[in-house]
Amino acid sequence: MFSFHATLAEPQHFSLLEKLLFAALVIASAGLFFQRFDPILRKILKSKNDPGFHLAPLGRRIWEFFSEVLLQSKVIAQRPLPGVAHAFVFWGFLAFALVTLNHAAVGLGVGFLDPTGQGFSGWFGRFYFYFAAAFALTCAVSIVGLFIRRFFVRPRWLGEKLSYESGFIAFLIFALMVTYLGAFFTTDASPTARALWWLHTLSLLIFLPLIPHTKHLHLVLSPVTVFLSRGEFSDIPPLANDDDFGLVAGQDLTKIVSLQAYSCVECGRCTEHCPANNTGKVLNPKEIILGLRSYLNDIGPATEEPLLGKYNSQEAVFQCTTCGACEFQCPVGIEHLPIIIGLRRGAVNTGAWEDDYGGKLFNQLERGSNALGISALERDKFIQKEAFPVFDGTQEYCLWLGCMGGYDPKGREIISAFARVMNHLGTSYGVLKKEKCTGDPVRRLGNDLVFQQLAEANLEILAQNNVKKIVAICPHCVRTIQEDWKAYGTPPEIEHHSEFMARFAHLLPQKPSDEKIVYHDPCYLGRYRNVYDEPRQLVQITGTLVEAPRNKERSFCCGAGGGLAFLGEESGERVSHVRAQELVATGATTVGTACPFCNTMFRDALAATDTPPQLLDIAQLIARNLPAHNSQ
């Protein structure tokens, strides 16, 4: 019954010729692996250093490695059935590590696991071979399931091109598991046991050199990629110096970008959830990463050949809404957004990107105060009309209006509603006399010069007014102030109005009703800030919460992010219309939002449906239940 293990444990059954042959095959296999892997490693190491990168805090990195790599948490959570299958294959490899080392040692006559022995060595050997057998069984079943999914069922986001190398590697993995399990049913030192040993050996030695030139390179690189992430979601790295314009050519590729390009497993999760790709646009996040990999393979780093052109199109890069679905979904630690924004930086900062709408936006923000291009006097009139208190340093909160809250008619309605809520709670607040756009749209479009001007001007205004706390209705403003401004100073503490209201929910009117309200998760509040429960808590004290099919971290973008709200008509189907139809299909009579950009995108989109529901921000949902005397 232990014949396979007996063969492993009794190296005298192998002739000297077999030992020499085995040693030669091991050397050849390892040599071919390193011959193929060495150029890839050299290209990664030859790439320039990442500005601003640091390993601290190590605790977070270790935890993410343990969770995402060893426990496969993201692989399983975001795509449960195939995720579990992938996890069992990975765990099978981990379980087989000791078995494989012993297998190689036995071939050379120095095996260290002896299931036929006595004492601890024999007990541990017997236990471990059965332990590995359990994983071999689950791994074999899983690899068959994944093979069927990739070659027969094949979801569209995997792409149309079949990879026969992947199919062959799946066969080798299956052969490794089956030959190991088959040895449990052979007689001691029989020809069958010997044949199984050699089949197992050949499967392993053929598999090893194939790794560097297939998507299975992620087995080697992805644990490193996860550990060496930039640390924060969509963390846009600083430019190194005045000569750094972003990702323009191969010489601008950094070690992290090159490492991530080679780590892609081509699973298509980013493609599956990309709003641009799902609405018939050119952009495919997976192809962006594979395009960089092809560039590195064909040209290499440290070159002056443009990154945009043959390998990635400028059109695709500027179709990204920066919703973050790709980066959130990636199971191997690829950070798509810094790469895409880096490519945008390269095109914008060198003048290669020419777009009438984009140019108009840049000019408006460089010369004026808001992305809508409206005179600041209009904001002053709105403040006076609503009789908002002006921040003078004595109030607890600065109410940040933002471009949408200060200039857009519907955005103003949201600000007014939220001000009523603050009045009801007795919160002291004021608005700034002067306030510029946070720079979110130009930051995501890659115009670092204009963004820096806006960030520094706003930081100076806030410091002059002694602002300590900010509350804003726009998740884009919150993200930009809290994270992106740090490159130019220390911003005040800021929170989104959903977080503020949820904290005082017990003081707000509790008037739940039968009104069905479907809540749309804004990308910059959900994936960027991990705020999901607070807005839902507010919806539930005013009506009956209904969930859209794609919700929370899987929410489908409204199409406004990444500066796209200002870039004119989309190609293909409109992202906002696709999402609006999905929200209407829930049967809800009201759509609840928590972002003025989502609100503005859904206005026309919902109007185009057969039975358009009411569209209200969560502040408006709360404010409509307040006593009349709280109105401004």
Side-chain angles (χ1 to χ4, degrees):
M1 191 67 177
F2 284 101
S3 58
F4 186 29
H5 312 320
T7 304
L8 288 171
E10 298 174 23
Q12 65 268 24
H13 286 304
F14 294 93
S15 67
L16 178 61
L17 180 61
E18 285 179 306
K19 293 177 183 177
L20 291 174
L21 176 61
F22 174 72
L25 289 174
V26 169
I27 293 171
S29 178
L32 285 171
F33 171 83
F34 285 107
Q35 183 184 31
R36 291 181 163 195
F37 181 65
D38 182 64
I40 293 171
L41 183 60
R42 287 178 182 274
K43 288 172 182 176
I44 294 171
L45 295 178
K46 193 177 180 181
S47 301
K48 75 173 190 178
N49 292 328
D50 288 81
F53 177 80
H54 48 79
L55 281 174
L58 272 177
R60 178 192 57 77
R61 293 187 182 279
I62 293 169
W63 166 249
E64 286 183 356
F65 182 87
F66 176 74
S67 174
E68 295 185 18
V69 178
L70 298 183
L71 297 184
Q72 298 279 284
S73 59
K74 184 176 283 190
V75 173
I76 295 171
Q78 298 305 320
R79 199 182 276 177
L81 189 57
V84 168
H86 276 99
F88 274 122
V89 172
F90 173 74
W91 293 330
F93 270 86
L94 292 184
F96 257 72
L98 192 60
V99 171
T100 300
L101 287 174
N102 182 72
H103 185 82
V106 166
L108 299 173
V110 289
F112 53 85
L113 288 179
D114 183 5
T116 61
Q118 302 298 315
F120 175 78
S121 175
W123 174 85
F124 181 75
R126 286 189 292 274
F127 159 76
Y128 200 84
F129 279 124
Y130 275 111
F131 173 76
F135 277 100
L137 181 61
T138 57
C139 181
V141 172
S142 296
I143 202 68
V144 169
L146 292 172
F147 177 85
I148 292 171
R149 181 174 180 271
R150 184 166 284 269
F151 285 88
F152 295 98
V153 179
R154 196 163 183 85
R156 70 169 185 84
W157 50 80
L158 290 177
E160 297 180 1
K161 184 179 178 182
L162 293 174
S163 173
Y164 294 103
E165 280 184 328
S166 295
F168 182 58
I169 286 178
F171 167 75
L172 291 175
I173 295 172
F174 182 75
L176 281 169
M177 302 301 121
V178 170
T179 51
Y180 178 79
L181 292 169
F184 279 86
F185 304 96
T186 59
T187 57
D188 290 352
S190 68
T192 303
R194 186 181 296 269
L196 286 172
W197 192 93
W198 276 106
L199 285 172
H200 188 86
T201 299
L202 290 173
S203 297
L204 181 64
L205 297 182
I206 293 171
F207 174 70
L208 187 62
L210 291 177
I211 290 175
H213 277 193
T214 67
K215 69 185 185 67
H216 292 84
L217 183 60
H218 79 278
L219 293 170
V220 178
L221 294 183
S222 64
V224 182
T225 304
V226 171
F227 186 78
L228 295 180
S229 70
R230 289 189 175 87
E232 300 293 338
F233 187 80
S234 183
D235 186 10
I236 304 171
L239 296 177
N241 48 54
D242 291 341
D243 296 324
D244 186 357
F245 298 116
L247 299 180
V248 182
Q251 62 192 3
D252 301 306
L253 292 173
T254 67
K255 289 180 173 62
I256 286 180
V257 172
S258 297
L259 174 64
Q260 292 180 2
Y262 279 113
S263 297
C264 180
V265 69
E266 303 177 38
C267 64
R269 294 188 186 206
C270 54
T271 306
E272 178 187 0
H273 294 274
C274 175
N277 189 268
N278 275 263
T279 52
K281 296 170 179 61
V282 177
L283 174 62
N284 182 339
K286 180 177 75 173
E287 296 301 330
I288 295 289
I289 304 304
L290 295 181
L292 291 179
R293 179 194 293 179
S294 297
Y295 181 101
L296 287 165
N297 285 334
D298 296 347
I299 302 175
T303 67
E304 295 184 0
E305 187 72 21
L307 293 169
L308 292 180
K310 177 181 176 181
Y311 296 94
N312 276 310
S313 76
Q314 187 183 101
E315 179 185 6
V317 166
F318 281 92
Q319 288 178 339
C320 176
T321 67
T322 65
C323 72
C326 52
E327 188 168 321
F328 182 88
Q329 288 289 334
C330 184
V332 293
I334 295 172
E335 296 162 317
H336 301 73
L337 294 178
I339 292 173
I340 290 174
I341 292 172
L343 291 168
R344 287 181 169 187
R345 275 174 153 176
V348 170
N349 293 335
T350 60
W353 183 58
E354 295 182 357
D355 182 270
D356 291 341
Y357 290 101
K360 181 180 178 182
L361 173 67
F362 296 161
N363 287 332
Q364 286 173 174
L365 288 176
E366 192 170 7
R367 299 171 183 172
S369 60
N370 63 90
L372 301 181
I374 300 173
S375 170
L377 293 175
E378 296 301 314
R379 178 181 181 273
D380 296 338
K381 292 177 183 177
F382 169 61
I383 292 173
Q384 292 170 10
K385 178 184 175 183
E386 296 294 320
F388 290 147
V390 174
F391 191 86
D392 59 13
T394 63
Q395 300 99 325
E396 183 178 5
Y397 285 94
C398 169
L399 174 57
W400 187 268
L401 302 188
C403 297
M404 300 302 291
Y407 298 94
D408 178 70
K410 294 296 183 181
R412 289 176 173 179
E413 292 178 9
I414 298 171
I415 282 288
S416 297
F418 180 55
R420 287 186 60 203
V421 175
M422 297 184 83
N423 290 334
H424 174 80
L425 294 171
T427 306
S428 64
Y429 69 94
V431 300
L432 295 172
K433 289 182 178 180
K434 293 182 179 180
E435 177 193 279
K436 291 180 177 289
C437 174
T438 61
D440 163 71
V442 290
R443 174 66 159 168
R444 313 303 158 192
L445 284 171
N447 192 323
D448 291 280
L449 177 60
V450 175
F451 174 70
Q452 180 178 352
Q453 292 172 350
L454 293 168
E456 289 177 343
N458 277 313
L459 283 167
E460 184 179 349
I461 292 170
L462 291 170
Q464 289 174 350
N465 286 275
N466 197 31
V467 174
K468 303 298 183 185
K469 293 182 181 180
I470 303 174
V471 61
I473 65 168
C474 179
H476 295 257
C477 292
V478 174
R479 165 69 186 199
T480 306
I481 292 172
Q482 186 177 54
E483 299 297 335
D484 299 274
W485 284 9
K486 287 180 180 178
Y488 306 104
T490 303
E493 177 185 332
I494 186 170
E495 66 179 335
H496 187 251
H497 73 318
S498 65
E499 299 169 284
F500 175 89
M501 290 187 290
R503 195 166 64 253
F504 298 107
H506 61 288
L507 301 176
L508 298 173
Q510 309 289 312
K511 295 182 180 180
S513 67
D514 294 333
E515 177 188 5
K516 292 184 178 180
I517 305 172
V518 59
Y519 172 67
H520 165 78
D521 287 279
C523 305
Y524 274 67
L525 185 62
R527 282 184 287 267
Y528 276 77
R529 197 167 173 79
N530 200 34
V531 173
Y532 298 109
D533 296 333
E534 290 87 338
R536 285 172 169 78
Q537 180 185 357
L538 298 169
V539 168
Q540 288 173 320
I541 65 175
T542 66
T544 301
L545 176 66
V546 176
E547 294 286 7
R550 290 179 283 192
N551 60 71
K552 296 188 176 180
E553 69 272 8
R554 290 172 174 253
S555 180
F556 196 71
C557 183
C558 74
L564 267 64
F566 306 100
L567 295 189
E569 289 293 319
E570 304 173 29
S571 62
E573 201 172 2
R574 293 184 69 85
V575 174
S576 59
H577 285 234
V578 171
R579 180 58 168 173
Q581 290 165 8
E582 185 176 352
L583 297 174
V584 170
T586 63
T589 56
T590 301
V591 171
T593 62
C595 171
F597 280 104
C598 295
N599 192 290
T600 193
M601 294 301 286
F602 289 147
R603 286 175 216 163
D604 293 338
L606 289 173
T609 62
D610 294 334
T611 54
Q614 184 178 206
L615 176 64
L616 295 173
D617 184 86
I618 52 173
Q620 293 171 300
L621 290 174
I622 297 297
R624 66 183 181 175
N625 291 332
L626 294 176
H629 67 267
N630 279 294
S631 60
Q632 286 284 340

